[in-house]
């Protein structure tokens, strides 16, 4: 994690350039804005992640309850919303400078992303999609607890198969968000109006879902909670110990990265010392 985190500024700059084909002054401005955002993230957000994971570790050690998982989901969303809000503030300066041609490039990149999404998630029959999702779920669980027995695999597969398939609705909602973002950029607003529009757009990510997708997402979350509870109930003491060790490794990474930022700031630091990204990981990493 630490290697990826320390090179996040470079990765995010490349990503932005891929979507917008930035010119040199825009790249310079973006680097400055990223430094501001990532410095805040390392100094403030990472210690909060470490605290949340310490509490999560205690809950996992005692055996998870439904309210524990809901707490973790809500905490993750709160942290995510905070990052998005601060990103909107830092992005305004760069977005005010982009041209119509760059917005066209953005639309084309979105279109390529949507084709890739369709190929990755919607290829094959519904049964094949369920099988692929079950395999991914199994790998996520094994990431936390180690190898699963045949009986555990069968139980997890059965639960995964019963969960709603939301990939098509997810793709359609992605397209909605992309179209809204492009419309905001084409509107050529003042800095204050652009920031307000970006904040409203980010806040509307959940509220803007179709009624069908909202129902499917709620059902998916509820069954994801049930899946985590089932996994918690079926794992052995050795598997629980592995999960606790994995959580501790993330806690240690977050603490080390936060300390590194403080030391880098005192010493002047370099680009790597100023980098960062949100490294939160859910217990299973499942989202849909």
């Amino acid at each position: 994690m630490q290697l990826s985190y320390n090179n996040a500024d470079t990765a995010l700059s490349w990503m932005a350039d891929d979507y917008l084909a930035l010119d040199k002054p825009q790249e310079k401005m973006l680097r400055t804005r990223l430094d501001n955002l990532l410095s805040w993230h390392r100094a403030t957000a990472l210690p909060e992640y470490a605290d949340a994971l310490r509490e999560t570790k205690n809950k996992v050690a005692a055996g998870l309850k439904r309210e524990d998982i809901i707490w973790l989901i809500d905490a993750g969303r709160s942290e995510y919303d905070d990052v998005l809000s601060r990103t909107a503030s830092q992005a305004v300066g760069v977005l005010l400078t982009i041209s119509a041609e760059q917005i066209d490039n953005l639309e084309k990149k979105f279109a390529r992303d949507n084709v890739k999404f369709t190929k990755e998630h919607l290829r094959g029959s519904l049964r094949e999609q369920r099988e692929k999702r079950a395999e991914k779920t199994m790998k996520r669980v094994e990431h936390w607890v180690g190898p699963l027995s045949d009986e555990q695999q069968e139980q997890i597969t059965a639960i995964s198969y019963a969960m709603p398939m939301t990939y098509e609705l997810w793709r359609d909602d992605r397209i909605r968000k992309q179209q809204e973002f492009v419309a905001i950029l084409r509107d050529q607003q003042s800095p204050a109006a652009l920031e307000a529009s970006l904040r409203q757009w980010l806040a509307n990510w959940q509220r803007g879902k179709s009624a069908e997708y909202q129902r499917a997402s709620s059902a998916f979350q509820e069954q994801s909670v049930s899946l985590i509870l089932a996994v918690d109930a079926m794992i052995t003491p050795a598997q629980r110990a592995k999960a606790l060790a994995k959580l501790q490794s993330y806690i240690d990474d977050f603490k080390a990265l936060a300390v590194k930022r403080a030391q880098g700031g005192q010493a002047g630091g370099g680009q790597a010392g100023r980098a960062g990204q949100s490294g939160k990981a859910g217990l299973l990493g499942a989202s849909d």
Side-chain angles (χ1 to χ4, degrees):
M1 177 193 292
Q2 293 194 43
L3 179 60
S4 297
Y5 194 103
N6 285 327
N7 288 283
D9 56 345
T10 299
L12 291 171
S13 295
W14 286 347
M15 184 183 301
D17 187 52
D18 187 33
Y19 278 85
L20 292 168
L22 300 174
D23 60 28
K24 293 300 182 183
Q26 289 170 330
E27 288 178 357
K28 183 177 180 180
M29 183 187 300
L30 176 64
R31 281 282 184 170
T32 299
R33 303 280 174 152
L34 281 175
D35 281 350
N36 293 337
L37 178 64
L38 299 176
S39 292
W40 161 80
H41 188 269
R42 189 187 289 263
T44 303
L46 288 186
E48 293 176 356
Y49 299 168
D51 289 343
L53 285 185
R54 272 191 288 270
E55 188 167 351
T56 300
K57 183 183 174 185
N58 291 335
K59 294 178 184 297
V60 172
L64 289 172
K65 303 178 182 65
R66 181 172 296 274
E67 56 265 31
D68 296 333
I69 303 169
I70 298 301
W71 166 82
L72 183 58
I73 292 171
D74 290 344
R77 284 178 176 166
S78 177
E79 294 286 359
Y80 184 62
D81 289 344
D82 194 14
V83 171
L84 288 180
S85 176
R86 292 176 182 275
T87 300
S89 298
Q90 294 296 330
V92 169
V94 177
L95 294 178
L96 283 169
T97 69
I98 65 175
S99 66
E101 182 179 358
Q102 288 174 313
I103 298 174
D104 291 341
N105 189 78
L106 176 66
E107 283 192 296
K108 292 175 183 176
K109 184 64 170 65
F110 280 157
R112 293 194 295 271
D113 285 349
N114 293 330
V115 170
K116 181 179 179 181
F117 181 95
T118 299
K119 289 181 178 179
E120 180 177 352
H121 296 292
L122 293 169
R123 176 180 292 175
S125 66
L126 190 60
R127 179 181 179 81
E128 289 171 330
Q129 292 172 28
R130 289 186 185 279
E131 289 175 351
K132 184 177 180 180
R133 187 180 65 180
E135 290 173 2
K136 289 182 177 179
T137 301
M138 210 87 67
K139 289 179 180 178
R140 289 166 181 159
V141 174
E142 289 182 331
H143 169 78
W144 288 99
V145 306
L148 297 165
S149 67
D150 291 344
E151 182 180 358
Q152 288 173 327
Q153 291 184 33
E154 289 174 4
Q155 292 181 57
I156 292 170
T157 298
I159 297 171
S160 176
Y161 266 62
M163 298 172 72
M165 296 298 292
T166 61
Y167 289 134
E168 189 169 357
L169 293 168
W170 182 11
R171 181 197 58 192
D172 293 345
D173 196 61
R174 280 165 50 99
I175 293 173
R176 170 188 67 84
K177 295 171 187 173
Q178 293 164 357
Q179 291 174 341
E180 290 173 352
F181 183 57
V182 169
I184 290 171
L185 297 183
R186 291 199 186 280
D187 201 25
Q188 298 183 332
Q189 304 176 67
S190 67
L194 176 58
E195 182 171 350
S197 294
L198 286 174
R199 289 183 181 279
Q200 179 62 34
W201 174 67
L202 292 170
N204 197 44
W205 275 24
Q206 297 298 325
R207 293 195 299 268
K209 288 180 177 179
S210 68
E212 182 183 7
Y213 190 28
Q214 288 178 359
R215 289 192 298 270
S217 294
S218 296
F220 185 90
Q221 177 177 305
E222 181 60 30
Q223 293 188 39
S224 295
V225 171
S226 297
L227 171 61
I228 296 171
L229 288 171
V231 170
D232 183 79
M234 74 175 67
I235 58 176
T236 66
Q239 288 172 322
R240 189 175 301 277
K242 182 173 177 61
L244 294 173
K246 182 69 69 173
L247 284 165
Q248 186 60 50
S249 73
Y250 282 119
I251 293 168
D252 292 343
D253 278 344
F254 289 146
K255 289 171 60 179
L257 288 164
V259 169
K260 183 175 181 179
R261 171 56 194 153
Q263 293 174 341
Q266 295 168 359
Q271 284 292 336
R274 296 194 297 271
Q277 68 179 13
S278 175
K280 291 180 289 185
L283 185 60
L284 296 180
S287 63
D288 209 346

